[in-house]
Amino acid sequence: MIRSLFLSVLLFLGTVFSFSASAEKYALQGGRLIDGYGGPPLANSVILVEDGIIKAVGQVGQLEVPEGYELVSTEGMDVLPGLWESHAHLMLNGHADYSHWQPTYRERQVDEIMPASAVQLLLAGVTSARDLGANLEDSIEIKQQIEQGDIAGPNLFVSGPFLQYEPYPGSEHYRWGVKTVREAKQKVKQLAKAGVDMIKLVDQDQMDLEVAQAIVDTAHENNLKVIGHSHRPDEIRVGLKIGVDNFEHTGLTTAPEYPEDVMKLLKERTATGRVAGGPLFWTPTVEGLYQYPKFIQNPERLDNVCWHRGLKADTIKDIKASLTDPGKLDYMQLTPLRQPTLEKKIEQLIEAGVVFLVGTDSGIPTKFHCQSTWNEMAVMVNDMNMPAMNVIRSATYWPAVIMGVQDRLGSITPGKQADIIAVEGDVLRYINLLSRVDLVMKKGVIYRQDGQVMEDKLAPKQRQ
């Protein structure tokens, strides 16, 4: 028995020593660092990473690389914090027909659909994502699997089900109806206890005001932000009155601009700053709408196989079949009338002083997780004339701030989690370079290097 115990101790110590000896230490060296704070980039940067944490940041010739660090050259590259996708739907993979998708794939969400969405986001350089609307149990399960390392994916922040006045038929498993103050408090507390990171509020203008207010108040009491739709002017009016923290979208209507009274309310809210709980955040999700006319002329991106990763053959076939004629989708028929309104609305939001977040509704019809985020950034810079540095901050620093995790995510700073991407070239001049991320590191693990996927770093379910 003593001998057996002795051998067990030796085995344990050997395992510990082996783990310590193989602990990953990297020195990312040579690239231009854009750290997320918006200041001047740092040329010839050196970033030391150990055990998933950024240990030091400096420059070649000034910060020495200690022994035991594996050198990763970033020469000729821009190095950035990992991107955030602030409005994703992991339960969706671009299929055009929700009425078919939801019942058909309901039982395949945890084993196939959501893990596929997660790994597609990660390999596109998205190291953090907000999943805004899904079944509660599925959301928590996938979040936990990622945190435990069972599957590969971004740092996941989930809302669980939408809260709205009345769910649409067939959507009750991911949309919860709320009609009374008692229901509002009970359901928010239920979500908070389950472990969600925020509350997703829809159709707040259809609720009694005291019910919508109870949702926001109860969320804030539980340290949860409230993310609210902004499709209709009344959703914005009510959302501002009850204290919504972050609005999504730029409206489903074809109105040419936001009404004058809404603009006045927005300016009053942004003028209060920290007194009202910090900046007013807005995720416009404009890319799919703005690029729709060009997409119909050239739908070739549907054939990019990046969105196949993690999905079964029959799922891929089904999604393809639903998108054979994207110009005739019922889902898109109002888009040509909405698209011309977007530039004016973005101008109004900039004038109002909101803080933008990069989010895309990734997963909705024709929008794949491996393509969405960089496309949104490109439209913001190239078509909406936003400075590239501001847009990068909207995809790195600011999402971490609203989610209250800026102490560990959102910038390349010593002490923070090593979520880092790199691309060849100058992203401040050519933001579209983010379409081909060369290096993806999350929590010190390299998932893509020199453009190639590190298949051995992915969980077995997601290897192909």
Side-chain angles (χ1 to χ4, degrees):
M1 180 176 176
I2 295 176
R3 184 174 183 273
S4 176
L5 180 60
F6 178 74
L7 289 175
S8 297
V9 171
L10 283 179
L11 180 61
F12 172 77
L13 291 175
T15 302
V16 172
F17 178 80
S18 174
F19 175 80
S20 299
S22 62
E24 293 174 318
K25 299 180 181 180
Y26 294 108
L28 281 59
Q29 181 171 288
R32 183 177 70 161
L33 173 61
I34 300 170
D35 65 7
Y37 285 106
L42 182 68
N44 301 315
S45 67
V46 178
I47 306 168
L48 301 182
V49 174
E50 181 178 350
D51 295 336
I53 301 297
I54 299 167
K55 293 297 183 181
V57 177
Q59 285 183 293
V60 175
Q62 297 179 9
L63 177 59
E64 183 179 348
V65 177
E67 289 187 13
Y69 278 74
E70 180 180 338
L71 181 63
V72 177
S73 175
T74 55
E75 291 285 358
M77 298 183 181
D78 274 350
V79 183
L80 301 81
L83 303 178
W84 282 66
E85 168 55 65
S86 285
H87 193 131
H89 292 287
L90 272 66
M91 68 175 179
L92 305 174
N93 292 107
H95 196 286
D97 185 356
Y98 291 159
S99 63
H100 166 78
W101 178 265
Q102 291 295 348
T104 303
Y105 295 93
R106 174 71 192 93
E107 300 304 319
R108 293 167 67 164
Q109 286 292 331
V110 171
D111 292 333
E112 177 192 0
I113 304 304
M114 297 178 84
S117 303
V119 75
Q120 289 172 23
L121 285 165
L122 179 63
L123 294 178
V126 175
T127 58
S128 297
R130 301 195 312 182
D131 189 34
L132 292 179
N135 174 268
L136 177 58
E137 291 76 16
D138 294 350
S139 298
I140 298 300
E141 174 67 21
I142 293 301
K143 177 182 171 69
Q144 291 176 345
Q145 286 191 28
I146 292 173
E147 289 174 349
Q148 294 165 2
D150 297 331
I151 62 174
N155 307 299
L156 195 60
F157 300 82
V158 303
S159 70
F162 302 78
L163 297 185
Q164 59 189 106
Y165 179 74
E166 190 167 15
Y168 314 135
S171 69
E172 292 84 359
H173 62 289
Y174 66 94
R175 292 177 181 271
W176 289 359
V178 180
K179 294 186 177 180
T180 68
V181 169
R182 182 178 180 181
E183 279 187 326
K185 293 180 178 180
Q186 182 269 322
K187 289 184 177 178
V188 172
K189 288 177 181 178
Q190 181 181 349
L191 291 171
K193 185 176 180 180
V196 302
D197 303 285
M198 62 209 142
I199 299 298
K200 177 71 176 291
L201 180 59
V202 183
D203 299 341
Q204 58 267 21
D205 57 328
Q206 296 177 11
M207 297 177 175
D208 290 340
L209 185 62
E210 60 267 26
V211 175
Q213 187 70 66
I215 289 175
V216 173
D217 290 346
T218 309
H220 289 169
E221 288 167 7
N222 286 273
N223 297 315
L224 298 174
K225 299 292 187 182
V226 179
I227 319 299
H229 263 197
S230 64
H231 285 312
R232 296 181 296 273
D234 273 351
E235 280 188 306
I236 302 173
R237 294 182 182 108
V238 172
L240 289 170
K241 185 173 292 186
I242 62 179
V244 161
D245 303 289
N246 174 193
F247 286 103
E248 306 290 299
H249 312 304
T250 46
L252 287 172
T253 68
T254 58
E257 58 187 352
Y258 292 113
E260 184 176 343
D261 73 297
V262 168
M263 291 300 300
K264 184 173 184 280
L265 291 170
L266 287 174
K267 291 176 182 178
E268 288 176 356
R269 167 61 179 82
T270 58
T272 60
R274 296 183 184 277
V275 177
L280 177 61
F281 293 93
W282 205 292
T283 317
T285 68
V286 295
E287 174 270 323
L289 300 171
Y290 193 81
Q291 298 197 120
Y292 178 76
K294 293 179 181 178
F295 165 64
I296 295 305
Q297 295 172 11
N298 178 23
E300 194 64 26
R301 67 176 176 82
L302 298 179
D303 295 333
N304 188 327
V305 297
C306 69
W307 64 266
H308 295 188
R309 178 173 284 274
L311 296 175
K312 296 179 180 179
D314 62 328
T315 308
I316 295 169
K317 182 179 179 181
D318 193 7
I319 294 171
K320 282 184 174 181
S322 77
L323 299 173
T324 51
D325 198 345
K328 295 181 180 179
L329 298 179
D330 290 342
Y331 189 88
M332 304 289 191
Q333 292 311 300
L334 265 182
T335 300
L337 299 177
R338 296 170 62 195
Q339 193 263 0
T341 73
L342 296 174
E343 290 185 58
K344 176 61 177 179
K345 289 176 179 175
I346 292 295
E347 287 178 6
Q348 287 181 292
L349 292 174
I350 292 172
E351 180 189 356
V354 305
V355 174
F356 287 115
L357 303 177
V358 171
T360 66
D361 240 349
S362 186
I364 67 172
T366 76
K367 290 184 67 61
F368 302 122
H369 299 291
C370 58
Q371 300 173 344
S372 298
T373 309
W374 78 264
N375 264 296
E376 183 81 5
M377 297 176 74
V379 166
M380 284 178 155
V381 173
N382 298 331
D383 300 293
M384 303 300 168
N385 299 312
M386 299 184 197
M389 185 66 84
N390 290 358
V391 173
I392 289 170
R393 297 190 78 208
S394 293
T396 56
Y397 173 78
W398 285 119
V401 170
I402 187 175
M403 296 311 300
V405 293
Q406 68 269 34
D407 60 330
R408 63 183 180 90
L409 300 174
S411 64
I412 298 178
T413 309
K416 293 190 180 182
Q417 185 170 304
D419 293 355
I420 301 169
I421 65 171
V423 294
E424 291 188 6
D426 184 347
V427 296
L428 295 179
R429 290 187 64 192
Y430 309 108
I431 197 74
N432 296 50
L433 290 171
L434 289 169
S435 64
R436 297 181 63 86
V437 179
D438 294 284
L439 174 75
V440 177
M441 171 184 283
K442 182 208 163 191
K443 207 171 184 179
V445 177
I446 296 177
Y447 291 94
R448 185 186 288 276
Q449 189 170 4
D450 298 327
Q452 301 300 310
V453 176
M454 303 290 102
E455 299 287 352
D456 61 318
K457 300 295 177 65
L458 300 180
K461 292 179 186 177
Q462 296 165 333
R463 292 179 188 160
Q464 288 187 349

